[in-house]
Amino acid sequence: MGRTAFAVAGLMATAAAAAGAAPQYPPFGLDLTAADKSVKPGDDFFDYANGAYLARTSIPADRPAASRRLEMTDRMEANLHTLMDEVAKEATAAPATERQKAGTFYAAFMDEAQAERLGAAPLKPELDTIRAAPDRAALAALMGAGAGGLYPSLFGAFIDIDLKDPNRYALYLGQSGLGLPDRDYYLKAELAAKKDAYRAYAARLLALEGWPDADKAAADLVTFETKVAEASWTKVQQRDLTTQYNPMAPAALPGFAPGFDWAPFLERAGVGARPMVVVAEKSAFPKLAVIYAETPVETLKAWMAFRVADLAAPYLSKPFVDAHFGFRLKELTGQAEPQPRWKRGVRAVAGGDCGADPASCFGTLNWAVGDLYAARYFPAATKAKVTELVGNLKVAMRGRIERLDWMGPETKKEALKKLDTYTIKVGYPDKPQRDYSAVVIKRDDLLGNVRRAAANDWAFIVKRSNGPVDRGAWQMTPQTNDAYNGSLRDIVFPAGILQAPIFDADADPAINYGAIGGVIGHELTHGFDDMGRTIDAAGALRDWWTKADADAFKARAKILGDQYAQFEPVPGFHINPGLTMGENIADLGGLAIALDAYHASLGGRPAPVIGGLTGDQRVFLGWAQAWAGKMTPDAIKQMTISDPHSFRKFRVNGPVRNIDPWYAAFGVKPGDKLYLKPEERARIW
């Protein structure tokens, strides 16, 4: 159909749409006004599918981006706003139920006058403790307390499934300490202006706290973080799981990384009695410990004071809020204005999409709000339909693995075994994920609410890790607009992502296969990307590949990586294939699997032509329109440097040019900009 396909697409409505409820984008699920018919699909499929939408869509002043996914978030946040306004009417001085606690927390956030009266006073407990710390050992203890609190740390502690024994939990230790999005912000000349702005931001927060000689302290702490950046592993290095599983007894840590006070750190984190820790960035730890030992205590204190204020700023008075916004969002992402207070309040209580500012939803009652959200806004019928779709995608992926011509029978057998072990979770958990009964929420203590909620969350995780692995656990709340492939060999699709255009129960099936089907296939493929393939069917870190098959996989992945390395989302910033490889493989595999699943769903019947579009065209357009959107240049730079996902344009153009049926569907020929010779196309899963 090529460029003419959209010209007649608006003339026909499907019988299904006529007979039932209308889809979000009538008549059959695509936005027929979004296309730019002047663009050849073979030159830029993203713009072909979305060019008119992009032209008429402006980035709102209170965001660094505009996209279909953010429109979904807007609808969800509007629903959460309704819920929060309702429960806030039940706010009380001593809330007892989860509903009352959520309402009281939200009411506390919305009380801007109270925040202005308090000024910097809510920070007093942390600042007094930092000032009074007599030595590095005391500061290391505070860093340990940061696992469930506001204090920063040079090393992060987290708990997850043991990669070598997935029937138990393990305590992991990883590098931390950087306040900028990535080590590149400290080390690359083209980002020097951002580093200078960070130094000014640190000085501003320290001055608001009343810290002495704020300008010098800020310069010293940025010098400290720069040394930490130089010693830290890159995000590409962190993607190799085999080099990051380094178990040792806690007693061995002082000899392994001398200069840091490990015992008080682990004790204050509540994990001092563990028989084993797993060190991640092994070669970085000794260097970081030396930096810690050689940095003056007063610089470490100033660093901690600044980073406490940085994390707490969204919950404080206007000078803190404005400084935080001015750097974290305006400077780093190009966002022009702060979001309305109600949106920030919803995020503070409900979590969800924290975007470029994790501090905005640090200590929340997110699971309590998730229960309320799912009960009201997620239809049971959607859960059933998506569960059925997932089953179809698994069948399609099984077929693709069975037909692989580059993988031998021994590895193929293990791959199929792994695929069969996946558990699918849709919408919301079947059981409560947190107990908030002990969390004290106060109407006049917003930052205290944040502290206590965060401490409760960490205490829950630590306590759970002492028992058997909880196979029913979720990592994302129902109100999260995302999905994941987790360490439990579970693939999870929260209610928040199951909206149009990702999923629309009333849309043409081809569009759903292209959108949510592509996402489902994406998450399935993560189990077999460059990281996922190192985990076996039991969930253990193990090399289950023959050498020949591993070499073949790496060669095919390199073909894809070399393609993405040519993409330049903004001038001077190319996609890093080492950072984005897993997501790029998952996008390619996901879309290919979704197309196969759509073909299978036809049961041997020819795909209907709807609105002048073939079934294959609608699958590809469903994927492309799901990723429609734009970002500010600064936000794209930050994403390209630090995010494992490629910029959305290339999540469309990158996969389609490697899928043979796309060429036939849109008449793509040699000479078109996206055209690849058959032998140049990446064929992995």
Side-chain angles (χ1 to χ4, degrees):
M1 297 287 177
R3 281 180 287 174
T4 65
F6 273 105
V8 296
L11 300 179
M12 298 177 60
T14 66
Q24 178 79 23
Y25 302 101
F28 55 87
L30 284 177
D31 181 355
L32 300 175
T33 71
D36 183 349
K37 297 184 287 292
S38 70
V39 177
K40 290 177 65 176
D43 283 346
D44 189 331
F45 191 62
F46 179 80
D47 279 0
Y48 166 73
N50 301 306
Y53 167 82
L54 297 172
R56 69 178 183 243
T57 300
S58 300
I59 296 174
D62 66 348
R63 275 215 171 103
S67 70
R68 297 291 194 190
R69 286 288 292 274
L70 287 173
E71 290 169 10
M72 293 163 58
T73 297
D74 285 341
R75 293 196 296 269
M76 182 173 58
E77 287 186 342
N79 291 335
L80 288 169
H81 188 197
T82 298
L83 280 174
M84 290 298 97
D85 278 349
E86 288 180 7
V87 297
K89 294 175 183 176
E90 303 168 27
T92 173
T97 68
E98 289 187 353
R99 183 181 175 91
Q100 289 173 334
K101 289 180 179 182
T104 304
F105 198 153
Y106 182 70
F109 188 96
M110 295 304 293
D111 191 347
E112 191 170 7
Q114 171 78 356
E116 296 309 308
R117 285 193 297 271
L118 293 174
L123 292 172
K124 191 174 186 302
E126 284 82 10
L127 295 181
D128 285 352
T129 305
I130 291 169
R131 289 188 179 102
D135 51 29
R136 286 185 178 80
L139 293 178
L142 295 183
M143 291 184 189
L150 295 171
Y151 297 107
S153 179
L154 193 57
F155 300 97
F158 65 98
I159 293 170
D160 202 349
I161 306 301
D162 189 326
L163 281 175
K164 288 296 182 75
D165 184 357
N167 292 312
R168 67 181 184 183
Y169 292 100
L171 171 65
Y172 294 85
L173 299 179
Q175 68 184 30
S176 188
L178 300 183
L180 284 166
D182 186 82
R183 68 194 296 273
D184 282 1
Y185 279 80
Y186 299 87
L187 307 178
K188 291 196 171 182
E190 58 267 37
L191 294 167
K194 303 299 182 187
K195 183 178 174 181
D196 289 342
Y198 181 56
R199 185 184 301 110
Y201 171 58
R204 176 65 177 148
L205 288 192
L206 287 170
L208 289 172
E209 292 175 308
W211 202 265
D213 203 353
D215 287 339
K216 181 180 183 304
D220 290 344
L221 72 87
V222 172
T223 298
F224 164 68
E225 285 195 11
T226 302
K227 293 177 182 177
V228 172
E230 290 169 340
S232 298
W233 283 19
T234 67
K235 284 186 167 65
V236 174
Q237 290 175 299
Q238 290 176 305
R239 298 194 72 255
D240 186 349
L241 295 177
T242 62
T243 62
Q244 292 198 92
Y245 190 90
N246 304 289
M248 61 182 67
L253 285 169
F256 165 66
F260 186 78
D261 300 279
W262 292 101
F265 171 80
L266 294 173
E267 188 65 32
R268 282 294 300 275
V271 292
R274 300 296 165 115
M276 181 189 81
V277 298
V278 178
V279 170
E281 301 86 1
K282 189 174 182 179
S283 63
F285 269 51
K287 299 174 186 177
L288 294 173
V290 168
I291 292 168
Y292 181 78
E294 293 179 350
T295 300
V297 169
E298 288 309 309
T299 297
L300 295 173
K301 287 185 175 183
W303 173 71
M304 296 191 79
F306 157 59
R307 293 289 298 278
V308 164
D310 181 35
L311 188 56
Y315 314 96
L316 299 174
S317 59
K318 193 173 186 298
F320 286 94
V321 172
D322 288 349
H324 183 87
F325 164 77
F327 178 73
R328 289 290 172 199
L329 295 171
K330 189 172 184 178
E331 177 67 34
L332 290 183
T333 75
Q335 181 174 318
E337 297 176 0
Q339 289 196 320
R341 193 169 186 89
W342 73 260
K343 281 194 174 186
R344 291 181 278 137
V346 164
R347 199 169 299 122
V349 183
D353 181 9
C354 304
D357 187 16
S360 66
C361 49
F362 168 63
T364 72
L365 300 181
N366 53 359
W367 290 105
V369 177
D371 291 342
L372 297 173
Y373 177 83
R376 179 176 297 185
Y377 294 110
F378 188 67
T382 298
K383 186 167 187 171
K385 289 179 180 179
V386 174
T387 301
E388 180 182 359
L389 264 174
V390 173
N392 295 343
L393 267 291
K394 284 185 71 176
V395 171
M397 185 163 191
R398 167 172 282 275
R400 292 189 71 85
I401 293 173
E402 290 173 340
R403 294 191 299 271
L404 288 178
D405 59 2
W406 58 267
M407 180 179 280
E410 182 181 341
T411 309
K412 193 175 290 187
K413 180 181 177 182
E414 289 296 315
L416 292 169
K417 182 179 177 183
K418 180 176 182 179
L419 178 64
D420 288 339
T421 66
Y422 276 114
T423 300
I424 309 301
K425 300 173 181 177
V426 175
Y428 51 88
D430 295 327
K431 64 176 185 178
Q433 296 293 297
R434 293 290 185 275
D435 178 3
Y436 293 110
S437 59
V439 181
V440 175
I441 300 296
K442 298 181 179 181
R443 177 63 177 77
D444 60 352
D445 187 14
L446 175 58
L447 188 60
N449 296 337
V450 173
R451 280 193 198 94
R452 292 183 288 272
N456 182 77
D457 204 51
W458 177 247
F460 172 88
I461 291 168
V462 170
K463 182 178 180 181
R464 181 180 65 184
S465 70
N466 292 318
V469 169
D470 181 2
R471 301 288 170 187
W474 283 48
Q475 295 175 20
M476 287 181 180
T477 60
Q479 65 271 30
T480 303
N481 183 4
D482 207 344
Y484 70 91
N485 181 321
S487 56
L488 292 169
R489 298 189 314 287
D490 54 347
I491 297 177
V492 182
F493 303 96
I497 197 174
L498 299 176
Q499 319 174 45
I502 300 294
F503 175 74
D504 187 337
D506 299 310
D508 162 56
I511 297 162
N512 278 330
Y513 272 98
I516 189 63
V519 174
I520 293 167
H522 173 104
E523 298 304 337
L524 284 169
T525 306
H526 267 318
F528 304 89
D529 66 19
D530 61 321
M531 289 180 70
R533 75 174 196 87
T534 63
I535 305 295
D536 68 11
L541 183 63
R542 179 175 70 86
D543 187 0
W544 47 274
W545 293 60
T546 65
K547 184 180 185 304
D549 291 338
D551 289 344
F553 174 90
K554 292 174 184 176
R556 289 165 182 266
K558 185 178 185 303
I559 292 172
L560 189 66
D562 289 345
Q563 292 176 20
Y564 276 82
Q566 303 304 310
F567 294 142
E568 190 176 14
V570 288
F573 290 79
H574 284 78
I575 288 178
N576 181 347
L579 174 62
T580 60
M581 181 61 75
E583 298 297 335
N584 298 336
I585 290 173
D587 281 344
L588 173 57
L591 183 53
I593 294 162
L595 186 64
D596 281 2
Y598 172 66
H599 290 163
S601 75
L602 297 171
R605 300 179 303 276
V609 175
I610 300 174
L613 297 168
T614 68
D616 281 14
Q617 287 177 326
R618 299 194 307 277
V619 170
F620 287 118
L621 289 168
W623 173 263
Q625 289 202 347
W627 292 113
K630 57 173 67 173
M631 301 174 76
T632 65
D634 279 328
I636 297 175
K637 288 177 185 177
Q638 181 172 327
M639 181 180 192
T640 304
I641 292 167
S642 61
D643 195 316
H645 300 84
S646 296
F647 178 56
R648 60 185 61 250
K649 182 185 187 78
F650 306 107
R651 298 193 70 172
V652 175
N653 289 346
V656 295
R657 69 200 304 239
N658 289 287
I659 299 176
D660 294 344
W662 175 72
Y663 288 80
F666 293 95
V668 180
K669 304 295 184 186
D672 291 343
K673 294 177 182 178
L674 292 178
Y675 179 85
L676 292 171
K677 296 177 183 178
E679 64 271 19
E680 295 174 342
R681 297 170 197 169
R683 306 178 193 277
I684 307 175
W685 295 107

